[in-house]
Amino acid sequence: MDLHTGFDAGALGFWIFIAVIVGVGLWAESRKNAEKHETLRRILEKTGGIDEALLKQLFRPARDFEGRIRTPGGGYRALRVTGTIVMFVAAGLVAYSLSIAALGAVALLGVRLLRNR
């Protein structure tokens, strides 16, 4: 950290790196889908039709890390559980912060009372 400005270029570099990695992943997946659709369009232009087996091979359903087929809305329960945990943690942090602030005010008031004596 720079002592004069308080600017930390290392932290900025880390977050830029994370943003680039996420962006490249999203871009790669969109290109992959675009190539699939381009392939389908070219097949339709050449043959005028497409058989179901080739269509299923080209557009296989997405799978998760365990090899199961991902269904739309499959992460609904995990999202609700994670959201509930985050809300309770946030409420706990607010209560903790308020208690620290209250103790700080009491301690500050106590110091002032001692100084007035």
Side-chain angles (χ1 to χ4, degrees), residues 5-76:
T5 62
F7 177 73
D8 190 3
L12 179 65
F14 170 76
W15 289 112
I16 289 174
F17 174 75
I18 295 296
V20 167
I21 294 298
V22 169
V24 166
L26 292 172
W27 177 80
E29 184 152 350
S30 72
R31 291 299 314 148
K32 183 176 164 185
N33 287 334
E35 289 294 326
K36 283 181 182 180
H37 289 285
E38 180 66 22
T39 303
L40 178 63
R41 188 182 64 78
R42 287 188 181 185
I43 289 172
L44 286 173
E45 283 178 358
K46 288 183 179 180
T47 63
I50 190 167
D51 62 337
E52 191 174 333
L54 183 60
L55 190 63
K56 283 185 179 182
Q57 181 184 3
L58 187 59
F59 292 101
R60 289 184 303 236
R63 298 188 178 271
D64 63 3
F65 63 94
E66 293 177 347
R68 296 177 300 196
I69 294 176
R70 285 191 293 177
T71 58
Y76 180 71

Side-chain angles (χ1 to χ4, degrees), residues 74-85:
Y76 180 71
R77 181 176 182 198
L79 185 62
R80 287 191 60 167
V81 168
T82 304
T84 303
I85 291 170

